[in-house]
Amino acid sequence: MRRKAIIITLFFILGFAAIMGVNFQRQAEQEPFHSNEEQSVRNLQVNNLQQESSRIQKVDMLSVGNNIKMKLNSNPSIKIIRHNEKDQSHYYDKEAVVDFIGPPTEAEIHKIVREIDGELKKKLDSVYIFQSNSQSTAELIQYFTQNDQVAFGEPHYIYLQNEVNDTFFRNYQWNLPAIGTERGWNVTRGSEDVKIAVVDTGVDLDHPDLSGRLAEGYNVLAQNDNPDDDNGHGTHVAGIIAAVTNNAEGVAGITWYNPIMPVKVMNAEGIGGSFDVAEGIRWAADHGANVINLSLGNYQPSVILKDAIRYALEKDIIVIAAAGNDNTIQPSFPAALPGVISVAAVDWEGKRAHFSNFGDHIDIAAPGVYIPSTFTDGQYASLSGTSMAAPHVSALAGLIRSVNPDMKNTEVLDIITQTTQNIGRNGPDIYYGNGIIDNTKALRVAYNRTRPFGRAREWFNQFGG
């Protein structure tokens, strides 16, 4: 009789656990699980946000961005591709990016250099950049495409950072509660084993709110291991993801433990060539990145960039990119490439940011207006742009991978896009994609998929010793 009673009791507990596992997500919507320590951290977090300070830079990034474009437009060595009346892309004149089917011999390289009246500038695997002293880009491409050993030849496109508007710092990080960040921390705060690569202008390696969160990085431009930021953009992106949280210093990052892998592919002006961006993506993929953030873009598709993205996706890396800031339906790359999570920007009311690009290629939306974060020289700044929206999604992807490192990149995309906040629309939207991210919902779904019986199973395991 005693054994029968024990068996009945165990069946009852197992049944209860199964019911609790099925209903976990619905119940958790009303009452998140957390310990007293976690609750005190959440209360403290409200006060752990950067207040008004002389350390906060006020930089008009819209003017900076416009000045960069004006410089490019007036530079005789830079050429313009006009997609429509307002959208344009740039590339370096008298240069060509060439991919060979089989690597050319040293003798063949010398022959090419002699015939184009130029030089070999850079090489990455089977891809080369050639520069001519006398031939235009169009003439170079025509020359190379006549070679049977050439897979493709294209211009050396220029990528610009995706940020806009002047710096304006508010005395709290509205973006964190807007996406359910703190309640999501009750599921996970991240993992040191899941790295997030920021392929950008580098990161301020000595910033007090970031220095303890940095993994090995790389400077593609200098070909060394010093990806220090001389622009500020990459540091700002990195801080949104991983500024040290709950340290009574500066701002709070969305993840507590995920390392940032800084990869510098853009210079002090925020400009980077397609070759360098592609090399940065490949370097990150080869050095353990689990997530890659690309807050940069160009309206011209690039084969070398597409190949680098495919290389990362085939390694099961999650790739996130900013949609662009010209309020246009013109697809921006790499955001519009297949497999890349394309991120639009919203403001604190959940409305589309007036600058945010739109179209069928948009996958998701995230906060991107007046986002406080870290900046160069140990400073802080508040910037706007889809560049700021993308790292919110990269941080969420890192947290999901922290819950389950074995989850495929396609599964992570599904969770992010299927757990969005209700914005009053049914189905995908050209402005918001599948909606605004919701960290709490996404992490709970990831948790439940990893542990089918949810918290109840943990309770049962504890009960059973």
Side-chain angles (χ1 to χ4, degrees):
M1 289 295 293
R2 184 177 179 182
R3 178 180 294 178
K4 184 176 180 181
I6 292 173
I7 292 173
I8 293 173
T9 301
L10 287 174
F11 272 112
F12 173 78
I13 293 173
L14 283 171
F16 174 76
I19 293 170
M20 289 299 293
V22 171
N23 292 318
F24 169 73
Q25 185 174 351
R26 184 173 65 240
Q27 293 174 359
E29 292 292 338
Q30 302 170 357
E31 186 61 36
F33 59 88
H34 49 72
S35 66
N36 292 334
E37 178 187 0
E38 288 170 329
Q39 180 63 58
S40 65
V41 168
R42 292 184 65 236
N43 292 337
L44 178 60
Q45 178 57 39
V46 175
N47 299 317
N48 183 39
L49 306 173
Q50 183 69 36
Q51 304 299 312
E52 289 292 346
S53 166
S54 59
R55 296 173 63 194
I56 299 170
Q57 295 192 47
K58 297 185 181 297
V59 182
D60 187 343
M61 293 307 297
L62 180 57
S63 296
V64 171
N66 287 337
N67 288 338
I68 290 173
K69 291 178 182 178
M70 289 174 63
K71 280 185 180 180
L72 293 177
N73 291 344
S74 61
N75 189 330
S77 66
I78 304 295
K79 296 300 180 182
I80 305 172
I81 300 173
R82 299 190 185 279
H83 302 281
N84 50 53
E85 290 184 0
K86 69 173 184 175
D87 301 320
Q88 55 189 227
S89 299
H90 301 83
Y91 64 90
Y92 296 102
D93 193 26
K94 298 181 181 179
E95 290 189 16
V97 176
V98 184
D99 184 16
F100 290 91
I101 297 172
T105 64
E106 188 172 339
E108 289 172 328
I109 292 291
H110 286 306
K111 179 175 182 290
I112 290 171
V113 167
R114 185 174 62 255
E115 290 179 348
I116 67 170
D117 179 30
E119 62 176 324
L120 170 63
K121 289 190 66 177
K122 285 185 178 181
K123 174 184 177 296
L124 174 63
D125 296 330
S126 62
V127 182
Y128 297 69
I129 295 181
F130 289 96
Q131 183 179 45
S132 173
N133 297 316
S134 56
Q135 296 184 28
S136 67
T137 296
E139 291 171 330
L140 284 174
I141 292 175
Q142 183 178 12
Y143 167 83
F144 282 109
T145 52
Q146 293 174 352
N147 187 332
D148 293 338
Q149 292 302 308
V150 170
F152 72 80
E154 66 180 12
H156 188 194
Y157 297 115
I158 298 172
Y159 286 80
L160 303 177
Q161 54 200 25
N162 279 326
E163 68 183 357
V164 298
N165 293 351
D166 60 313
T167 298
F168 179 85
F169 194 86
R170 295 176 178 270
N171 61 1
Y172 65 96
Q173 290 174 280
W174 69 269
N175 50 314
L176 296 191
I179 58 174
T181 302
E182 293 173 277
R183 299 183 84 182
W185 286 338
N186 290 329
V187 181
T188 183
R189 297 175 188 174
S191 166
E192 293 181 353
D193 296 327
V194 178
K195 298 178 182 178
I196 302 174
V198 174
V199 179
D200 211 289
T201 62
V203 172
D204 181 352
L205 304 179
D206 299 318
H207 199 293
D209 230 359
L210 278 173
S211 59
R213 298 293 305 278
L214 302 179
E216 175 192 12
Y218 187 63
N219 186 329
V220 173
L221 306 183
Q223 298 286 297
N224 62 32
D225 60 357
N226 181 27
D228 204 19
D229 189 1
D230 49 8
N231 174 273
H233 187 266
T235 300
H236 196 274
V237 169
I240 294 170
I241 299 170
V244 179
T245 304
N246 208 40
N247 65 339
E249 171 82 27
V251 294
I254 296 173
T255 73
W256 289 52
Y257 305 116
N258 297 86
I260 291 293
M261 178 186 289
V263 183
K264 183 175 178 60
V265 298
M266 294 192 288
N267 62 20
E269 290 187 290
I271 298 172
S274 56
F275 186 93
D276 292 329
V277 175
E279 183 177 354
I281 292 169
R282 285 178 174 269
W283 189 93
D286 288 337
H287 288 79
N290 302 99
V291 179
I292 295 178
N293 186 92
L294 299 167
S295 288
L296 46 82
N298 182 301
Y299 293 111
Q300 190 67 22
S302 162
V303 179
I304 188 176
L305 185 69
K306 184 178 180 180
D307 286 347
I309 295 288
R310 182 170 59 244
Y311 182 78
L313 293 174
E314 288 175 351
K315 284 180 169 284
D316 200 30
I317 297 168
I318 306 155
V319 182
I320 292 102
N325 304 314
D326 293 312
N327 185 29
T328 179
I329 200 170
Q330 184 75 28
S332 175
F333 299 92
L337 289 174
V340 176
I341 303 177
S342 176
V343 187
V346 296
D347 63 17
W348 51 85
E349 293 181 334
K351 296 179 181 178
R352 180 179 77 95
H354 66 87
F355 53 77
S356 186
N357 287 0
F358 54 93
D360 293 337
H361 60 285
I362 302 296
D363 293 304
I364 204 77
V369 178
Y370 299 142
I371 306 299
S373 185
T374 48
F375 210 62
T376 50
D377 299 322
Q379 301 289 311
Y380 296 87
S382 184
L383 306 179
S384 298
T386 55
S387 273
M388 285 66 251
H392 287 78
V393 182
S394 295
L396 175 55
L399 290 173
I400 292 173
R401 271 272 169 90
S402 298
V403 173
N404 183 353
D406 297 325
M407 193 172 285
K408 300 295 183 184
N409 53 11
T410 51
E411 294 178 280
V412 175
L413 170 60
D414 287 343
I415 289 178
I416 291 174
T417 55
Q418 292 173 12
T419 56
T420 56
Q421 301 180 46
N422 183 2
I423 55 174
R425 291 173 172 82
N426 294 322
D429 178 274
I430 63 171
Y431 299 113
Y432 299 88
N434 291 276
I436 303 169
I437 60 170
D438 188 319
N439 285 21
T440 305
K441 288 182 182 178
L443 293 174
R444 284 170 178 163
V445 168
Y447 181 91
N448 284 340
R449 287 190 184 181
T450 305
R451 302 165 178 81
F453 294 116
R455 288 285 285 184
R457 174 171 244 179
E458 291 185 6
W459 295 335
F460 175 71
N461 289 341
Q462 293 173 5
F463 178 82

